[in-house]
Amino acid sequence: MATKENLARCTLCPGLCALGLGWNGPDLPRVEYPSDSGAGLCPRGSALGELLASPARLRWARRREGRRLVDMDFSGAIAAAAERISGGATVLMDGGCSVEEIAAAAEIAAAWEGVRLCLVVAPDDEQMLLGVEASGANYLADEELANCDGFVVVGDPFAVNPRCARGVLDALRAQRRAPLVVIDSGGGVAAGFATMRAGCRPGGELEALQSDAVASAVEPCRKLGVLLAADPGRGAGWGRIGYLAGKLANAHGGGVSVQTVGANALAAVRARKQLALGSLAEAATPGRGEAVRVALGVDMLGLLGWAGPAVAVAAAAVANPTTNSAEIILPLALPCESGGTFLQAGTRRVSTAPLLSPPAGVPTPAELLAKLAAAAGVKTGPWSGKLPSLDRLTVEAPAEVAAGSTTGRSLVAASQALLDAGGALMGQASWQRQVRPLPELRMSPADAGALGVADLAEVTVETESHSTAAKVRLVDWMAAGTMAISAGFYEARELLPYTIDAERDMVVSRPAAVQVSK
Amino acid sequence: MAVGSQQVVKRVLIDLDRCVECGSCAAACYYSHNAMPTVQTARQGPALLPVICRQCKAAACVDACPVEAMQRDENGVVRRALLRCIGCGSCARACPFGVLPVEVTHRQIAKCDLCEDRTAVDGGVPRCVAACPTGALRFEDESKAVEAKILILGGRSTGQDPFKRR
């Protein structure tokens, strides 16, 4: 596998953009932008500097006593947490961590009887990646997209990783007749550049991808780039979409560019299989595995749109819905405070350096798990340094998925470049809070006219599970009857909560019937 | 501050055909200028346009400032003198392009200085340009844009209709 040099990099998406450290004052770190990186940095990466010293950071341990939170010393909290999980626990670990963190945590969990480690990747991303792995398609790095002569885009990868748009736009500028087919029921920004927008009902991406119209549009392509981004609320078809997209790319001599939440989702999916670790579906299913859950950097409730309590011990860099309901809360390093190896484009190992050391005493996920194991009397020893191979998985093609049916107006979720999944981290960033205090509700002008609402109007969005305020954004290319809400808000996730599909062993978020009122 | 009369040589140009509305430019400006951003975004129909100071040759903000806080420096960059600005907002109201924020932060008007700490170095570009993931923002000599037949529109460049993609 190829390797890249050791710079500090943003690990919030597969772009792995280089970043530096600057200071607004002696205690006010900020991100600096290397002029020669040629990659840029999206608003999520820019916010990391502020979050390093944010007052919102969790810096010490706390214990919940009734409705109060009581401060604890760190060693006392570790002892209490170890006691709480002494009878066995399911440990959820963020799959966006470096490969070293994953491997070290897996070794500790293997030595700890009764503890099951589950690597958590955004559920739709995981299904999609397994589908692409099964297809045998090549993975394309962002810069390789510029060599393609046509594109199929599913979802809105430009929002998940704006850097991938550069290669696409370079190719389109060089070849004015290159097709750009966009399949997105969420009205994302990629559709604004499309030469063809495939008709797509809410969550109907799979159906559209298999259509004759898409096949004929890309028929002349000799190197087809297929860009995928799996947004929530679109149903159970992401595995099949990943598989068919890979096959389509193979048939046209091209490859697939998968844009995921977190830079290491593909490595986590591969490591999970190779190290026989558990999944989010396993950890979230009641009655399966240990009832006591420990979340290491995973905002399980925020990700799934669930209400607590569900997690006994939660560690995070900033408060999130999971820590807000946990019994014991522990501080954790930010993603940019621990370096390591990340897998890019399927084969390329990228080493990153930490942007800054974590605050004194604040551990990384693997360090925290080691401390918990030591407090529980488990002899683990130092990490062996052995990494999983991260070779391509041999998995079966995902099964066919029946097209769901929706009636009336339906709601899906859509990614935005300024927010992360569930909004746990970026919800604390000041610029993000200023420019997007409310979720954005995209809808067609026809729907807005029928509802009597104007662009930027504040409305109440209601589904069967939840209701929240949102700001209307009119999007010309959205189909009437479909609305999309910003996926980066926990409130939006509550509108489209995941449900457990025991038959397929996965969690699924489907489009929901929606009511909008002024 | 030395007062100059020449116009700035390089300006920030925006290729709207490449802008994916990610907001990276505005976020980079905000986080590196103590929450006093000078890159604004404005929605016009389907497009979200980044709005950046074009460092005018005949700068209305300089003429409008009652305390001479807005001045052109020796490099042609129109700058706001930190200790002179009284936050009256005259410059923001005088700007014909609406690039100065009317909201006063910390009792002062935020003003783009083209990130002089970076551009003073050879090859350095302002942070908004460095942060742009798609290459939509460029820091270039305006004459080169004219040579390349890129339309200049209020400091922005566009290949086609300003509000239409591709």
Side-chain angles (χ1 to χ4, degrees), chain A residues 308-327:
Chain A
V311 174
V313 181
V318 295
N320 59 44
T322 304
T323 59
N324 291 346
S325 71
E327 295 164 34

Side-chain angles (χ1 to χ4, degrees), chain A residues 88-114:
Chain A
T90 299
V91 176
L92 295 103
M93 183 173 168
D94 183 10
C97 292
S98 67
V99 181
E100 288 85 353
E101 286 280 321
I102 292 170
E107 271 191 20
I108 296 164
W112 193 348
E113 198 178 335

Side-chain angles (χ1 to χ4, degrees), chain B residues 18-95:
Chain B
R18 300 181 73 98
C19 177
V20 296
E21 303 176 11
C22 60
S24 302
C25 47
C29 188
Y30 175 93
Y31 285 118
S32 54
H33 286 88
N34 280 322
M36 290 179 71
T38 60
V39 176
Q40 312 290 321
T41 51
R43 178 157 298 290
Q44 178 62 50
L48 186 77
L49 309 175
V51 184
I52 299 173
C53 177
R54 64 196 307 270
Q55 313 291 346
C56 304
K57 189 174 184 180
C61 57
V62 174
D63 295 340
C65 182
V67 293
E68 297 182 1
M70 286 285 184
Q71 292 182 1
R72 188 186 301 282
D73 70 11
E74 62 272 24
N75 297 318
V77 179
V78 177
R79 300 183 61 198
R80 184 259 296 118
L82 189 73
L83 298 177
R84 283 195 174 195
C85 178
I86 56 172
C88 65
S90 302
C91 51
R93 286 166 183 84
C95 176

